[in-house]
Amino acid sequence: MAQVKDLTELTIEDRWSAVKEEEDWWDEIKPRTLAVVKTLMEEAMEAELIEQLHAAKYRRTEVRRGYRNGYRYRGLLTEFGPIERIRIPRDRDGQYRPRVLPRYQRRQSQVNQMVRKMFLAGVSARRVREVVQPLLGEGVSAQTVSRICRSLDAEVQRFHSRQLDDRYRYLLLDGIVLKVKGAVELKRRVVLCAYGVTHGGVRELIDFRQASSESEAMWTAFLDSLYQRGLKGDRLQMVSTDGCAGLHRALDMVYPFVPRQRCWAHKMRNVAAKLPRRHQEACLAQAKTIYQAHTRREAVLRFRQWAARWRSASPNAVRCIEDDLEELLPFLECPQPLWKKVRTTNAIERTFREVRRRTRPMSCFQNSDSVERIIFGVISHLNTNWKVKPLSQSTHNT
């Protein structure tokens, strides 16, 4: 007969192997946990009612403030699973409101947060139920998912109206086009965006606004909102733009004295559009050497060499860069590690790749409110990550 080990002689491996022999051990944890939580909630509500009535159950007292009136029952979906028939005491006057289980609450706040995160991560409203069912033992309907996500609306409004610190060193501005479902057909909706880099090297998507177009009026309203909320531009050293005429006229009104940098990515696309296909590869390859220069003087020299080579073959392409050369070179005055960040508005484009990835299962946004919620969810996540991952010190110590 095998000798049984003394408990003090058992190793962790021995004890864990004994646990694993109980096949239902894990399955028992959840219902036991839920039973304990249910008991604690019911006992807490009983204590709350005693405190309100100034009288314990079946006790007579001169300071009594009311009488009991039986119980009602409610279910609650928690992060551990559903709790059925939670017993909630009632008073005769209907004045008791349990703090443990707020009125009308059918789901724990953590469950709502889980659903919101899943929705923002790209899980469609209809598929959230399929994912939640095995995790919590109970699903949620597509309508419930929509109601939960509408709770983001108040946070979106606070984001749009919050006060801003005038701490940005570089400002990137661009308009992104998204598809939104209309009454009859899909409509293109412009989202105006402001992205900043602080003097401490922290990146931030400062704000966004839906607009009908990138007109001067739309951009002026957007920039004026930033200005009125605190972004005065006193510490701004440069604004990067895509060259939109309406935006530049708006900047003349709101931030007229801040140097501007035109986006090289947009400019190269404009140049490519003016070139015959047979010249595109060679011409663009040489044009790239202009912004790869290490000094302004070197960049101007490279432009002249490129212009001399291509002016006769493609005069419109050369004129496209020549007309805006002054606004294509200010980035060379910035710290060199930041050149790639500020010579284009690609940082905003990259942010909206995640927005488009999120909306891919939907094919388009359902309405303007869903545009606001999803963009807010994505950029809030990015802004949180960027706070703890500032750009290298070498990029902002000059």
Side-chain angles (χ1 to χ4, degrees), residues 61 107 133 141 167 200 215 267 314 318 341 360 389 395:
T61 171
R107 293 173 303 279
Q133 179 73 44
S141 66
R167 59 195 177 96
S215 66
K267 179 57 68 175
S314 302
V318 172
K341 300 287 184 182
R360 197 170 295 132
K389 297 178 182 178
T395 67

Side-chain angles (χ1 to χ4, degrees), residues 202-339:
V202 177
R203 295 162 288 169
E204 180 183 350
L205 206 305
I206 303 169
D207 202 2
F208 67 94
R209 284 288 186 176
Q210 296 184 62
S212 57
S213 67
E214 287 196 73
S215 66
E216 177 184 352
M218 292 290 101
W219 272 114
T220 300
F222 179 58
L223 295 180
D224 187 61
S225 170
L226 301 180
Y227 185 91
Q228 296 298 330
R229 288 155 53 199
L231 208 170
K232 305 299 183 182
D234 294 339
R235 304 182 69 187
L236 275 179
Q237 295 183 5
M238 194 172 71
V239 177
S240 296
T241 77
D242 62 355
C244 170
L247 170 55
H248 277 243
R249 287 192 293 269
L251 284 170
D252 288 339
M253 296 288 292
V254 185
Y255 301 115
F257 304 115
V258 181
R260 298 173 199 172
Q261 167 68 47
R262 283 191 180 245
C263 174
W264 269 99
H266 284 85
K267 179 57 68 175
M268 294 299 284
R269 292 179 203 140
N270 294 340
V271 172
K274 300 178 184 301
L275 288 169
R277 186 176 296 274
R278 65 182 184 276
H279 292 326
Q280 282 185 358
E281 183 176 353
C283 185
L284 293 177
Q286 188 178 355
K288 289 178 182 178
T289 65
I290 301 172
Y291 63 73
Q292 291 170 347
H294 292 86
T295 64
R296 176 186 172 85
R297 183 175 181 178
E298 181 183 354
V300 172
L301 177 61
R302 291 185 179 186
F303 164 74
R304 289 173 178 169
Q305 293 171 343
W306 172 79
R309 166 69 178 81
W310 296 102
R311 192 180 297 276
S312 59
S314 302
N316 291 335
V318 172
R319 194 176 304 111
C320 185
I321 290 183
E322 187 174 43
D323 290 345
D324 299 318
L325 186 62
E326 288 300 317
E327 291 188 347
L328 286 166
L329 302 181
F331 77 94
L332 292 168
E333 304 299 325
C334 303
Q336 186 171 357
L338 274 180
W339 287 357

Side-chain angles (χ1 to χ4, degrees), residues 33 36 58 61 73 89 119 125 169 172 195-196 205 235 244 275 309 311 315 390 397:
T33 301
V36 171
Y58 308 121
T61 171
Y73 296 87
F119 180 73
R169 186 178 187 179
L172 280 63
Y195 171 108
L205 206 305
R235 304 182 69 187
C244 170
L275 288 169
R309 166 69 178 81
R311 192 180 297 276
N397 271 346

Side-chain angles (χ1 to χ4, degrees), residues 2-15:
Q3 185 177 2
V4 178
K5 288 186 177 180
D6 185 83
L7 285 176
T8 58
E9 298 177 357
L10 291 175
T11 65
I12 293 177
E13 289 77 9
D14 294 331
R15 298 181 184 186

Side-chain angles (χ1 to χ4, degrees), residues 126-184:
R126 296 184 183 278
R127 294 205 59 192
V128 167
R129 180 184 182 89
E130 300 173 19
V131 178
V132 169
Q133 179 73 44
L135 290 175
L136 304 181
E138 181 178 317
V140 291
S141 66
Q143 291 78 11
T144 299
V145 174
S146 297
R147 284 196 298 271
I148 292 173
C149 290
R150 281 199 292 272
S151 65
L152 284 169
D153 292 348
E155 295 182 42
V156 172
Q157 291 306 313
R158 283 194 294 270
F159 178 79
H160 285 320
S161 60
R162 76 194 191 285
Q163 284 298 115
L164 301 174
D165 294 327
D166 196 15
R167 59 195 177 96
Y168 302 99
R169 186 178 187 179
Y170 304 110
L171 186 64
L172 280 63
L173 301 170
D174 200 0
I176 305 296
V177 177
L178 300 174
K179 293 185 292 184
V180 180
K181 183 179 291 186
V184 179

